Amino acid sequence: MAKQDDLFKKVISHAKEYGYIFQSSEIYDGLSAVYDYAQNGAELKKNIRDYWWKAMVQMHENIVGIDASILMHPTTWKASGHVDAFNDPLIDNKDSKKRYRADVLVEDYCAKIEVKIEKEIKKAQKRFGDTFSKDEFVTTNPRVLGYQEKINTILSRLGKSLENEDLADVKLLIEELEIADPLTGSKNWTDVKQFNLMFGTQLGASADSSMQVYLRPETAQGIFVNFLNVQKTGRMKIPFGIAQTGKAFRNEIVARQFIFRMREFEQMEMQFFVKPGTQKKWYETWKETRLKWHLSLGMGKDNYRFHDHEKLAHYADAAADIEFKFPFGFKELEGIHSRTDFDLKAHEEYSGKKMQYFDHEENKNYVPYVVETSIGLDRMFLAVFANSLKEEKLDNNTTRVVLKLPSVLAPIKAAILPLVKKDGLPEIARKILDELKWDFSTTYDEKDAVGRRYRRQDAIGTPFCITVDHETIDNNTVTIRHRDSMEQNRVKITDLKTIIKKEIDIKSWLQKM
Ligand code: GAP
């Protein structure tokens, strides 16, 4: 655990030191769970968004993108169920005055039991060596079975109590498990209360005519209310999808873990409208397609796993998370939800407008079913950033800190470095920069010894450093240094564009899908 905490602390400080993420309004001591993307962070975020948009919109003939507004008519949120049901159960500790999500306290308790299971597995692996079968061990070992049963009993009781709105039982469960405030150890808890996560505000200037509106808590509803507009104007035929990226806001009770859980964040969502009865097939297809998108970035197959939901949201008939191994363990990165016809039907009911599609093949109208893919852009940023940060021991017994970002996502693709600040080398370097910047984001750096400049670019995650030296004057060649291998080759200036393009070309990355 301490190791994980250390790694996470390094991720956070590296993000600040190298111009990726700053605390929002830092000069006023910041605002909890709100962050700003700095010069490199904004580029990385944009590249992730582009990578998603290209895969989802540009590469699918039957998916189009929109950009709906953040403020929507308040009835939207009544219809979607957010006014009545977008709540988290909160509990306060009377001694520490700290506020927690009651369900997260219980889940964290279960996560600790899971760690015990992992320990048993590791011990047995050591004992049995090559003959060890994990599957057999976890299904037969009495201690592991006991732990697993305990987890199942606790989570099933928690699920039932939340479903039945039995908040007194959630508190009883916390007391029975003797769960203490993680910060102070106090077990002096208040009752559990429901807390709506939407931020409300007023639209309009005068008190009489102003209207209570909400900052959208998900981008999905902007797609649902535009379903017929897009279908008609785009002459879309089912199955088809509508995608969008944009800000969402949630007044999260527990706002920790950096950009993992924020109060203002960005989502990349796609709603896929299908014929009723075919949703299971499309749900499986999108689960597979989205996992392939993640794997195409080469961040390690073992870092992902599916978590199928047992307790379903009020709108879903199936749901799964793609979980990623963050520095603090496996957590949800993306959700794939089979949302049935819940949203469109609800909007029909509340607006009195038909939300139906005329199927020419079937010669009938119906409300389509929807399969949704929903990923947090900031969460994806954290996954990419944390997974890329490495500390490497080098042959000469020194270490280097390198951000091995998938090069297609790197904020700066190439740094142009004159070996010295004289003899006409800066002028040649600038000329190369002026040529390359048409195609790639580039930077120029002439300060410090070249070794230090390499380290600086390693830490930023720049895949290529191009050094102009005295030989360049004689034969128009430069050295190109590769971030990951640190290999350096002498190449012609005229070949630079092709070499860089080959490595960062979005097409070749997405073709790995
Ligand atoms: N439209 C469905 C929906 O919003 P969700 O599971 O609540 O579903 C989808 O959110 C994704 O949005 C999550 O998988 C996560 O990546 C991201 N997300 C949700 N809440 C977040 C928060 N407070 N901060 C950052 N990302 C968040």
Side-chain angles (χ1 to χ4, degrees):
M1 206 57 161
K3 246 191 180 166
Q4 286 185 349
D5 286 350
D6 284 353
L7 172 65
F8 194 36
K9 278 187 194 144
K10 279 185 188 159
V11 166
I12 297 169
S13 65
H14 195 88
K16 178 167 183 198
E17 192 179 343
Y18 288 94
Y20 276 88
I21 295 173
F22 302 145
Q23 174 83 56
S24 157
S25 0
E26 194 190 69
I27 58 167
Y28 296 107
D29 296 333
L31 188 63
S32 167
V34 187
Y35 291 91
D36 295 340
Y37 286 85
Q39 64 278 16
N40 291 320
E43 290 284 339
L44 173 56
K45 195 175 172 195
K46 178 177 135 319
N47 293 343
I48 296 172
R49 193 190 295 112
D50 289 348
Y51 196 69
W52 181 88
W53 191 270
K54 190 136 192 165
M56 297 297 281
V57 180
Q58 196 171 325
M59 297 310 294
H60 286 99
E61 254 178 70
N62 60 347
I63 300 181
V64 289
I66 64 165
D67 183 10
S69 50
I70 288 170
L71 298 177
M72 299 180 69
H73 193 284
T75 312
T76 309
W77 306 111
K78 195 76 196 143
S80 67
H82 284 83
V83 171
D84 296 320
F86 195 51
N87 301 319
D88 275 345
L90 72 81
I91 191 165
D92 290 300
N93 187 279
K94 290 184 196 165
D95 297 326
S96 70
K97 311 280 183 247
K98 293 275 172 216
R99 178 160 281 186
Y100 296 95
R101 263 178 65 172
D103 55 337
V104 171
L105 284 179
V106 176
E107 280 163 12
D108 285 352
Y109 179 92
C110 291
K112 281 186 195 147
I113 307 179
E114 250 180 54
V115 171
K116 287 185 187 167
I117 296 180
E118 289 301 322
K119 271 190 189 152
E120 292 294 333
I121 294 171
K122 270 203 185 123
K123 259 194 327 202
Q125 229 159 6
K126 240 188 192 168
R127 196 166 356 121
F128 295 115
D130 287 346
T131 58
F132 179 72
S133 155
K134 186 176 164 188
D135 285 345
E136 194 186 327
F137 182 73
V138 294
T139 47
T140 54
N141 180 274
R143 196 170 289 171
V144 170
L145 287 174
Y147 285 144
Q148 197 53 58
E149 197 185 328
K150 190 169 181 193
I151 293 176
N152 294 346
T153 311
I154 294 171
L155 291 182
S156 138
R157 179 167 157 198
L158 176 71
K160 274 199 192 106
S161 308
L162 290 174
E163 213 166 294
N164 301 333
E165 292 272 317
D166 186 355
L167 300 182
D169 191 57
V170 178
K171 182 179 179 190
L172 200 63
L173 182 60
I174 288 174
E175 285 173 342
E176 279 174 21
L177 297 173
E178 300 190 8
I179 296 176
D181 180 334
L183 289 177
T184 64
S186 159
K187 294 176 191 158
N188 193 8
W189 296 108
T190 62
D191 287 342
V192 178
K193 281 181 277 188
Q194 287 292 22
F195 176 76
N196 193 287
L197 299 183
M198 281 198 295
F199 283 104
T201 186
Q202 296 296 118
L203 189 86
S206 82
D208 303 338
S209 62
S210 75
M211 189 193 225
Q212 156 97 54
V213 292
Y214 299 98
L215 301 185
R216 67 180 176 199
E218 62 171 10
T219 57
Q221 298 303 325
I223 294 178
F224 289 124
V225 299
N226 279 302
F227 156 70
L228 265 194
N229 284 339
V230 174
Q231 190 271 317
K232 293 216 161 105
T233 55
R235 294 184 296 129
M236 310 297 291
K237 283 202 175 61
I238 268 178
F240 74 91
I242 306 177
Q244 78 165 323
T245 68
K247 288 271 174 135
F249 302 81
R250 295 182 190 179
N251 198 0
E252 297 284 357
I253 299 169
V254 185
R256 50 190 162 117
Q257 295 169 321
F258 195 36
I259 57 168
F260 181 80
R261 197 177 300 286
M262 301 159 89
R263 295 201 165 109
E264 173 181 339
F265 58 101
E266 193 166 333
Q267 288 186 315
M268 306 190 287
E269 298 201 300
M270 193 277 299
Q271 312 295 324
F272 200 68
F273 299 91
V274 304
K275 194 155 93 181
T278 63
Q279 71 271 21
K280 269 269 165 334
K281 183 189 93 184
W282 285 112
Y283 169 70
E284 293 303 334
T285 303
W286 279 110
K287 266 176 81 174
E288 197 187 315
T289 309
R290 291 303 303 147
L291 183 63
K292 279 190 189 158
W293 180 84
H294 287 283
L295 295 179
S296 72
L297 286 169
M299 299 204 299
K301 205 165 177 257
D302 292 345
N303 285 328
Y304 301 87
R305 69 181 188 196
F306 277 115
H307 168 239
D308 294 313
H309 289 206
E310 274 166 35
K311 183 180 168 266
L312 294 170
H314 56 281
Y315 52 73
D317 69 2
D321 297 334
I322 295 176
E323 292 187 338
F324 185 76
K325 199 170 179 191
F326 287 96
F328 36 83
F330 272 101
K331 295 273 177 210
E332 174 186 348
L333 171 59
E334 170 158 6
I336 292 106
H337 312 125
S338 175
R339 288 184 81 126
T340 67
D341 54 1
F342 172 86
D343 300 88
L344 290 180
K345 273 208 168 132
H347 288 305
E348 261 197 340
E349 189 190 329
Y350 278 80
S351 67
K353 310 266 166 34
K354 284 247 171 291
M355 288 295 217
Q356 301 194 357
Y357 170 81
F358 182 72
D359 190 323
H360 287 274
E361 275 169 24
E362 304 256 328
N363 199 27
K364 67 172 188 194
N365 280 306
Y366 54 76
V367 178
Y369 270 49
V370 172
V371 175
E372 164 185 74
T373 71
S374 175
I375 175 169
L377 175 49
D378 313 85
R379 228 172 250 194
M380 183 64 194
F381 185 112
L382 181 59
V384 170
F385 192 87
N387 189 67
S388 302
L389 187 60
K390 312 275 177 211
E391 216 173 82
E392 287 182 349
K393 273 236 161 337
L394 302 180
D395 289 345
N396 61 1
N397 256 345
T398 59
T399 51
R400 74 160 179 159
V401 174
V402 51
L403 196 60
K404 291 188 166 175
L405 297 169
S407 53
V408 65
L409 302 180
I412 301 169
K413 305 302 187 206
I416 326 297
L417 321 170
L419 186 65
V420 287
K421 269 193 268 181
K422 54 182 185 182
D423 305 334
L425 302 189
E427 288 75 12
I428 302 173
R430 288 243 172 241
K431 235 173 119 184
I432 294 173
L433 181 97
D434 284 344
E435 186 51 36
L436 292 181
K437 73 184 179 192
W438 288 94
D439 296 283
F440 315 110
S441 57
T442 46
T443 189
Y444 174 85
D445 190 3
E446 59 177 25
K447 197 172 173 290
D448 300 322
V450 77
R452 283 188 77 175
R453 283 179 270 166
Y454 286 155
R455 287 288 178 277
R456 201 147 57 221
Q457 294 304 326
D458 284 347
I460 291 171
T462 309
F464 296 105
C465 284
I466 293 156
T467 307
V468 174
D469 55 21
H470 292 94
E471 203 182 320
T472 311
I473 303 171
D474 298 335
N475 60 12
N476 285 320
T477 62
V478 288
T479 56
I480 185 162
R481 174 185 180 271
H482 301 257
R483 177 197 66 196
D484 296 351
S485 63
M486 294 190 292
E487 222 178 77
Q488 297 186 29
N489 319 107
R490 191 115 212 142
V491 301
K492 286 192 203 136
I493 292 174
T494 45
D495 288 344
L496 282 173
K497 206 184 282 183
T498 317
I499 295 168
I500 299 170
K501 189 164 188 298
K502 193 167 166 236
E503 180 135 345
I504 61 121
D505 186 29
I506 197 165
K507 181 175 171 190
S508 53
W509 283 81
L510 281 176
Q511 274 176 338
K512 290 181 206 149
M513 268 181 82

